[in-house]
Amino acid sequence: MNKVAQQGGGVLADNVLPIMTGRGGAELTIVVPTLNERANISLLVDRLRQSLPLLEWEVVFVDDDSKDGTMLAVRDIAASDHRVRGIRRIARRGLAGACLEGILSSSAPIVAVMDGDLQHDETCLSTMFAVLQRGEADLVIASRYQGNGGAHGGFTKLRSNASRLATRLARVLLRTQIDDPMSGFFMLRREIVEAVAPRLSRQGFKILLDIVASSPTTIRIREIPYVFAPRLHGQSKLDSLVALEYAGLLVSKMSGDLISTRFLAFGLVGSAGVVVHLSVLHALLPHGLSFAVAQTAAMFTAMAFNYTLNNAFTYRDQRRRGWRFLTGLLMFSALCSFGVVAGVGVSTLLYSGHSRWWVAGLAGAIVGSAWNYITNSAITWRRQ
């Protein structure tokens, strides 16, 4: 696990170079991931203009192909202000991945990440930049849980409690001494992200925790308080699946990235599929069906269940919809047919050898699941 240093001194570490900027180049890039945030774009840009009058800054809106014209609003402003630009992502979803793409598109020595929903206090940016410019830290986090900071206005009681629980888990399991590791509002030296980029997950919502947990070297961290404001327009993109993604991120980092978030999700879905498989098999056997027929029906039922759940959760950033959902199911079924034949053969052989029904059924499910994973990852949900 990486080491994290929280300091308030003004001395540069031996391995940290002072920030150098060329004339005309941006000193600060602000990355704003968006999804259906058109109503907030001009308001946020106006606020940035007022808050950063003395800095050479740019803002990069990384949009997950919004349907409300978010990118049109960005381009309208960019036509008259060179500091505003946008990246439109096609067939890719996820806040963490959007943040990473925006950061890596920057040439500025310092980058910031903030939401496009106006809940983050843009007036903190100049203070955060000054801390980094003076060499007092490598990463500055705007914290809801320090000093006079707070999240009562922007969070429901349920979300506030969930956020605090997630913070405690991160501090205990990853040994990260940060008051607000779940913050989506932070600023850091771009070179830190460049160094850990290959190890970062493109799924999920919490890229800050991923950066800190993935860094092999010490990161000097400063936290400053801010008040998390109520959302003015649009709806939150957080849903019930975020908790599972967050749990997957914790497991991934605890295992030293040996277990990926996607693989863990696939495994959880597969475990549920095994329960479905055995339940169907157990329900069909008493009705006079041969074991081979019952096992085939159970495997196809579990296969359809796994496909549907994986499409909704494991591959939510590449989710197949409409006709693509149906063609994906057909493709998945066709590719898995070899696994079904092998699974039925193995389980039937074991059952005829007087093995218990659940042992034979489990063996067949394992064979089918192995083939399922290969097809899911390489073909069915391949990136377009």
Side-chain angles (χ1 to χ4, degrees):
M1 198 63 58
N2 68 294
K3 297 179 180 179
V4 175
Q6 292 181 288
Q7 299 181 359
V11 180
L12 283 171
D14 292 339
N15 63 340
V16 177
L17 296 176
I19 298 168
M20 302 295 291
T21 58
R23 291 184 179 179
E27 300 173 281
L28 169 66
T29 296
I30 304 153
V31 177
V32 182
T34 58
L35 179 63
N36 298 324
E37 299 281 7
R38 177 170 185 160
N40 296 325
I41 300 301
S42 62
L43 293 174
L44 178 56
V45 173
D46 286 342
R47 291 185 180 188
L48 293 176
R49 290 168 177 159
Q50 295 173 13
S51 301
L52 303 171
L54 302 179
L55 283 180
E56 292 292 337
W57 58 272
E58 66 172 355
V59 58
V60 181
F61 293 95
V62 187
D63 186 66
D64 283 359
D65 199 21
S66 297
K67 305 305 180 185
D68 70 340
T70 296
M71 280 304 297
L72 291 177
V74 172
R75 288 169 181 158
D76 285 344
I77 300 174
S80 59
D81 191 336
H82 71 278
R83 296 173 298 183
V84 179
R85 59 188 178 93
I87 298 175
R88 179 187 176 192
R89 305 206 306 165
I90 303 296
R92 302 194 303 283
R93 286 291 179 92
L95 187 144
C99 292
L100 183 58
E101 287 191 36
I103 292 172
L104 296 181
S105 76
S106 168
S107 296
I110 296 180
V111 292
V113 172
M114 66 184 301
D115 289 348
D117 54 16
L118 308 179
Q119 292 185 285
H120 291 160
D121 184 359
E122 70 286 341
T123 62
C124 295
L125 290 170
S126 58
T127 301
M128 298 163 76
F129 184 85
V131 171
L132 291 175
Q133 193 175 48
R134 291 194 300 266
E136 297 174 6
D138 305 310
L139 166 64
V140 182
I141 302 170
S143 173
R144 297 161 293 185
Y145 307 130
Q146 267 209 349
N148 58 354
H152 302 295
F155 271 170
T156 63
K157 184 176 181 180
L158 177 61
R159 282 190 60 189
S160 178
N161 291 336
S163 178
R164 289 185 179 277
L165 174 60
T167 296
R168 293 191 188 99
L169 288 175
R171 297 187 67 176
V172 172
L173 297 179
L174 301 182
R175 300 177 183 178
T176 300
Q177 298 304 311
I178 301 175
D179 288 329
D180 194 0
M182 303 294 290
S183 177
F185 187 18
F186 58 92
M187 186 182 295
L188 75 168
R189 296 175 181 270
R190 180 175 50 80
E191 63 194 35
I192 294 176
V193 183
E194 295 275 3
V196 300
R199 301 180 60 188
L200 298 180
S201 171
R202 285 154 181 77
Q203 289 180 279
F205 278 70
K206 300 304 176 184
I207 190 173
L208 170 62
L209 179 62
D210 200 359
I211 291 172
V212 173
S214 298
S215 177
T217 58
T218 298
I219 300 178
R220 298 173 305 141
I221 296 177
R222 170 77 68 83
E223 295 186 74
I224 65 171
Y226 88 105
V227 177
F228 191 63
R231 169 182 280 271
L232 294 184
H233 303 288
Q235 296 180 341
S236 173
K237 290 174 280 295
L238 297 178
D239 56 33
S240 58
L241 296 181
V242 172
L244 294 178
E245 288 183 345
Y246 178 70
L249 177 62
L250 291 180
V251 172
S252 176
K253 296 308 170 184
M254 288 174 63
S255 68
D257 293 316
L258 293 177
I259 302 175
S260 70
T261 303
R262 200 184 296 277
F263 180 79
L264 179 64
F266 192 91
L268 292 174
V269 171
S271 298
V274 169
V275 175
V276 171
H277 175 98
L278 295 180
S279 298
V280 173
L281 181 62
H282 182 61
L284 293 178
L285 283 177
H287 296 284
L289 296 176
S290 67
F291 182 83
V293 172
Q295 173 71 337
T296 301
M299 292 189 72
F300 274 110
T301 301
M303 184 169 58
F305 172 86
N306 286 351
Y307 171 80
T308 302
L309 209 58
N310 276 314
N311 188 64
F313 172 48
T314 309
Y315 298 93
R316 63 186 302 199
D317 57 327
Q318 299 162 240
R319 188 176 297 169
R320 303 179 72 102
R321 303 175 186 274
W323 283 108
R324 292 191 70 248
F325 176 87
L326 297 177
T327 57
L329 177 58
L330 293 175
M331 183 188 305
F332 182 82
S333 300
L335 292 171
C336 290
S337 60
F338 292 104
V340 171
V341 172
V344 171
V346 169
S347 57
T348 301
L349 181 63
L350 290 174
Y351 188 73
S352 63
H354 305 291
S355 293
R356 292 181 178 273
W357 69 268
W358 62 269
V359 173
L362 185 60
I366 291 174
V367 171
S369 295
W371 186 259
N372 282 352
Y373 180 71
I374 295 173
T375 55
N376 283 340
S377 300
I379 300 175
T380 307
W381 284 284
R382 68 184 183 280
R383 290 194 178 275
Q384 303 297 315

